[in-house]
Amino acid sequence: MQHDAHAHHDHSTHGGPHENHGAHHEEHGAHHVPGKASWSMAAKATLHCLTGCAIGEVLGMIIGTALGWGNMETMILAIILAFFFGYALTLRGILAAGVDFKTAFKVALAADTLSIAVMEIIDNGVIALWPGAMDAHLSDPVFWIVLAIALAAAFVITVPVNKWMIGRGKGHAVVHQYHH
């Protein structure tokens, strides 16, 4: 969306509830202007991806376990579902802004693919390398403790990735132009 015409409008003559609208516009513009990425923005984008990943991971592990699948099949399902739910959460917000599905899908792919991929590599890597984690059952506290540690590690490592992408007008910076 172009904000140029809006940005050049003199907001000082409005007064009332719109008095600070110009400042809000500049703050909002920082979301998608290359070079203006804050750690807070990156953390929020990462938390958004982490939510979808966590839903997919847990659901995949529950389904794989319930079906008696092996570790590899369950992990593959969990990764597929992590991407699905990560994209779905982004799609939900973009579609709510009135964007057509094809455009929204392209935006979700552009916004989330690298973030979810990094998150999944870290999170599944921790689980795969943690002694006994792959053999822990859903009822085992070790399963949940290692999953929490894996997701926390994925968050910490993915925040700088998202900051770098947002700072270049990529990733979640693309999504923010649809939020108002």
Side-chain angles (χ1 to χ4, degrees):
M1 232 178 167
Q2 293 286 341
H3 292 291
D4 293 341
H6 185 70
H8 297 295
H9 183 75
D10 181 13
H11 294 283
S12 63
T13 60
H14 287 301
H18 294 287
E19 222 168 73
N20 294 324
H21 186 77
H24 170 75
H25 173 74
E26 289 191 15
E27 178 185 311
H28 176 77
H31 288 302
H32 54 87
V33 175
K36 301 268 187 175
S38 71
W39 285 105
S40 173
M41 260 190 276
K44 287 176 186 174
T46 306
L47 188 57
H48 174 89
C49 284
L50 183 70
T51 302
C53 287
I55 292 168
E57 288 280 332
V58 172
L59 187 58
M61 291 177 196
I62 290 170
I63 292 169
T65 300
L67 296 175
W69 290 0
N71 289 339
M72 188 57 67
E73 296 86 1
T74 300
M75 187 178 277
I76 290 169
L77 177 62
I79 292 169
I80 290 168
L81 290 175
F83 274 92
F84 174 80
F85 283 101
Y87 291 141
L89 290 178
T90 298
L91 271 173
R92 185 177 142 251
I94 299 169
L95 290 171
V99 177
D100 65 281
F101 183 81
K102 184 177 177 182
T103 301
F105 187 71
K106 288 178 183 178
V107 169
L109 289 177
D112 291 339
T113 301
L114 181 60
S115 180
I116 295 171
V118 170
M119 207 166 285
E120 287 302 299
I121 289 167
I122 301 306
D123 143 33
N124 285 287
V126 169
I127 292 169
L129 296 174
W130 195 286
M134 291 294 286
D135 297 320
H137 295 281
L138 295 174
S139 60
D140 189 344
V142 169
F143 169 83
W144 296 102
I145 292 167
V146 175
L147 179 61
I149 292 167
L151 291 171
F155 176 82
V156 168
I157 292 170
T158 308
V159 168
V161 172
N162 282 326
K163 185 178 187 306
W164 176 79
M165 289 187 349
I166 293 167
R168 281 150 189 74
K170 309 283 185 206
H172 272 262
V174 178
V175 173
H176 286 288
Q177 66 182 311
Y178 297 101
H179 292 266
H180 291 284

